[in-house]
Amino acid sequence: MKMPLPDAALMARKGEIVRALRRLVPGDGVIGDPAGLVPFQSDGLSAYRQTPLAVVLPETTAQVSAVLAWCQANGVKVVPRGAGTSLSGGALPLEDGIVLGMAKFNAILEVDYANRCAVVQPGVTNLAITGAVEADGFYYAPDPSSQIACTIGGNVAENAGGVHCLKYGLTTNNLLGCEIVLISGEVVRLGGKGLDAAGYDLLGVVTGSEGLLGVVTEVTVRLLRKPETARAMLLGFASVEAAGGCVGDIIAAGVIPAGLEMMDAPAIRAAEAFVGAGYPLDAAALLIVELDGPEAECAELSAQVVALGEARGATTIRSSASEAERLAFWAGRKAAFPAVGRIAPDYFCMDGTIPRRQLAHVLTRIGEMASQYGLGVANVFHAGDGNLHPLILYDADKPGELEAAEAFGADILKLCVAVGGVLTGEHGVGVEKRDLMGEMFNDTDLACQQRVKCAFDPDLLLNPGKVFPRLHRCAELGRVHVHRGAVAFPDLPRF
C-alpha cells in the first residue's frame, strides 16, 4: 500500500501552519509536537502508520468552518477523524496534511420522541445514543461491533452496519439529516427530521463518502421502539456448507431475523475462550439467529427456524431463556475480533459482500487460499446479507507475512466481486481496497465518481489518497475533446 508522496514545501511550513491554526482554535485545540501526534498515526487498520503535520481538535462548527476555509486558501490537506476505529484506513493521516479530530463534538443535542429522532454531534458514540433513550423504550438500530467506541460521525462516513443490519438496515437507512462543512467553509444542511427531503439525494451521497466530500458536524438519526420480545438462537452445524444452506433456507422461507450471523470453528473457539458465551465447541459452523417482535410472532418464527435447522442436520439448537443469556450470545459474537487477538499476534479484518447462495463456495475457497498462503483465517460475518469478515491471521514480526496477508486479502475481495458481490459492505474502501476499485468499476465509472468529488472539493484537499486508485485533477476530468475546431454536441450548455 502506497500513499501519495508528501509535499516537501508544505512540510517545511509546519511551524507557520501550526501557528495559524492555533489562532483559529485557541487553547489546547492544536497538537503539533511529535509526542502528541503519535496517537493519531493510524486508525483501526494499524498495519499502516504515518505521522500527520498537525492535529486540530475544534469544539464548534464555526471553528471547523474557519479551519477548512483556511486550509483551502493555503492548499493544506485535511483528514477528518472520529474515534479512529476505521478498519479500512479511512482516517490514516497524511505526512503533509492535518488531522481534523471531531472528538470534542460529543453532545446529544436533542431527543425528539414525537418525531422519533435524535439530533447528536458526530463525536457521540454509537452506543451512547441507545443509552440516552433506552429508559423510555427506544433505541438506535445500527450496532457495529465497535459501537462502544465508534462515533456516529464515523458511522456516517463509512455507512456502518452491525449485527442487526439485516432487518433494520445500515446507517443510511437510519439517517434523517446532517450538517456538513465543505472545504470552502460553507455550512450545509441536508435532510432534517422528516422521512424524506426534496431535490437530489445529497444525504445519500454524503453517507458513506469516507470524508472525501465534507466534515459532518451534526447528525439526525432515527429512533425505534424497543421490540416487545427478542430471542436469540444458536444453531451449530457439522459443516460450513450446512450452515450456509440453512441461511438461505431461512431467508427463502420469508423469515427475516433481526440478526443472522455466522462463525466458523476457529472464531467459535476463540470467542468462547474469551467470553464464555456457551457456544458449542464441537461445531464447524455456528449461526446466531435473533428474532424480535410480538411474543406470538417470535414463537412462530422460532419454530420455523428450528425446523429448518433440523432439516439441515443441525447438531446444536439452543434458544436464549432470558435477556441475560441473549446478551451473552451476542457478547461472544461482538467480541470475536478482539478474541482472535488471543490466537494470533496480528490480523487483517476483511470486509466484502457476496450473494447468500455463494456462501459455501466462497468459504471453501477462502480455506483453500489460507493453505496456499500458509496463513490462518477465522470467519465471522453477517450471513443474512452476505457481508463477510474473514480475519486473516499473521505475525508482522515474521518477514513476508504482512505482504502475504495483504495478497490473501486482495484475493478474497477479488473473489467476492467475481461471484457477483462487492468490495465492501460497511467498512468502506479507504486505503485497504483503494487499489482494487478497478476490479469492480471501469475507468468511466471511476471518473464519474471523481466528478462528484470535484463538485464538493475542487482542490482535492479532503482525505486525498483514499478510495480512488488514481485521483485525477478536476481540470483533467473536465477536459472537452475538440475535433477540427468543433466540440461534440455543441447545442448543450457548458459550464
Side-chain angles (χ1 to χ4, degrees):
M1 190 281 299
K2 294 182 179 179
M3 292 296 287
L5 292 174
D7 184 333
L10 268 177
M11 296 181 71
R13 293 171 52 204
K14 175 177 177 174
E16 168 203 336
I17 291 169
V18 169
R19 288 191 294 273
L21 292 172
R22 282 181 173 152
R23 289 193 290 270
L24 300 175
V25 185
D28 61 355
V30 178
I31 301 170
D33 62 290
L37 296 174
V38 170
F40 298 90
Q41 287 180 338
S42 78
D43 56 15
L45 187 63
S46 57
Y48 308 129
R49 296 175 178 273
Q50 290 189 147
T51 302
L53 204 61
V55 173
V56 183
L57 303 172
E59 298 183 43
T60 67
T61 299
Q63 288 180 346
V64 174
S65 174
V67 168
L68 291 180
W70 186 90
C71 286
Q72 184 183 50
N74 290 272
V76 176
K77 300 162 189 171
V78 181
V79 176
R81 178 186 172 104
T85 59
S86 168
L87 292 169
S88 64
L92 181 70
L94 301 168
E95 292 182 65
D96 58 348
I98 69 165
V99 167
L100 189 65
M102 302 299 289
K104 292 184 178 181
F105 282 69
N106 57 7
I108 295 177
L109 302 175
E110 181 187 3
V111 175
D112 183 350
Y113 290 127
N115 286 303
R116 294 201 173 185
C117 65
V119 182
V120 306
Q121 290 186 315
V124 172
T125 63
N126 177 286
L127 190 58
I129 300 176
T130 292
V133 300
E134 61 185 349
D136 295 304
F138 287 83
Y139 75 111
Y140 177 59
D143 57 343
S145 295
S146 58
Q147 68 177 151
I148 193 172
C150 68
T151 53
I152 195 66
N155 289 178
V156 173
E158 304 293 353
N159 193 22
V163 299
H164 289 94
C165 62
L166 174 61
K167 184 174 182 179
Y168 295 107
L170 294 90
T171 299
T172 189
N173 307 109
N174 292 274
L175 188 64
L176 296 173
C178 72
E179 175 187 86
I180 68 168
V181 183
L182 305 181
I183 189 64
S184 64
E186 181 182 357
V187 180
V188 177
R189 283 192 171 273
L190 305 174
K193 291 185 177 181
L195 295 179
D196 206 352
Y200 294 118
D201 183 19
L202 294 179
L203 184 61
V205 172
V206 167
T207 307
S209 60
E210 304 195 32
L212 271 68
L213 306 182
V215 177
V216 174
T217 50
E218 185 183 290
V219 184
T220 303
V221 299
R222 186 194 311 269
L223 298 177
L224 298 181
R225 266 285 185 190
K226 186 177 180 181
E228 175 189 318
T229 304
R231 181 176 299 134
M233 304 174 68
L234 300 180
L235 281 75
F237 294 87
S239 71
V240 168
E241 290 77 14
C246 189
V247 170
D249 294 343
I250 290 170
I251 301 300
V255 178
I256 305 298
L260 177 50
E261 301 289 298
M262 186 168 168
M263 303 167 68
D264 67 5
I268 294 167
R269 290 193 290 269
E272 181 61 20
F274 191 52
V275 174
Y279 293 166
L281 295 177
D282 60 341
L286 177 70
L287 297 183
I288 307 175
V289 186
E290 179 159 294
L291 303 161
D292 65 5
E295 172 59 37
E297 179 182 352
C298 283
E300 169 62 25
L301 295 179
S302 296
Q304 289 187 48
V305 171
V306 168
L308 293 169
E310 290 174 341
R312 285 283 179 173
T315 54
T316 298
I317 298 180
R318 179 179 163 200
S319 182
S320 60
S322 65
E323 178 66 3
E325 189 172 34
R326 182 185 76 85
L327 293 176
F329 289 174
W330 284 118
R333 164 60 184 89
K334 292 202 168 191
F337 292 178
V340 167
R342 294 160 60 98
I343 61 176
D346 303 283
Y347 67 81
F348 267 128
C349 177
M350 307 306 297
D351 165 53
T353 302
I354 62 171
R356 282 183 294 265
R357 68 179 182 276
Q358 296 285 357
L359 277 173
H361 167 66
V362 169
L363 292 173
T364 299
R365 285 288 297 120
I366 289 175
E368 293 169 354
M369 291 179 193
S371 299
Q372 173 190 337
Y373 283 101
L375 298 174
V377 63
N379 288 288
V380 184
F381 55 94
H382 310 310
D385 60 352
N387 186 191
L388 305 180
H389 292 316
L391 306 177
I392 300 173
L393 314 179
Y394 71 100
D395 185 346
D397 290 334
K398 293 183 178 179
E401 284 211 357
L402 171 59
E403 293 76 13
E406 289 178 313
F408 185 3
D411 281 350
I412 290 175
L413 294 172
K414 290 175 183 177
L415 175 62
C416 289
V417 174
V419 300
V422 295
L423 289 173
T424 181
E426 57 176 339
H427 291 178
V429 175
V431 296
E432 177 207 14
K433 308 179 185 77
R434 179 196 63 195
D435 298 335
L436 294 171
M437 287 285 276
E439 298 289 325
M440 187 171 162
F441 301 107
N442 61 33
D443 289 345
T444 302
D445 296 330
L446 291 170
C448 288
Q449 293 178 38
Q450 289 183 47
R451 283 175 180 269
V452 175
K453 163 75 168 167
C454 291
F456 282 80
D457 178 21
D459 300 317
L460 307 178
L461 295 174
L462 283 171
N463 221 6
K466 316 291 175 61
V467 178
F468 299 113
R470 181 185 172 204
L471 191 59
H472 298 270
R473 294 187 300 275
C474 293
E476 199 179 337
L477 285 170
R479 289 182 303 191
V480 176
H481 178 65
V482 179
H483 180 64
R484 293 184 177 177
V487 298
F489 309 108
D491 54 317
L492 293 179
R494 301 190 184 277
F495 304 95

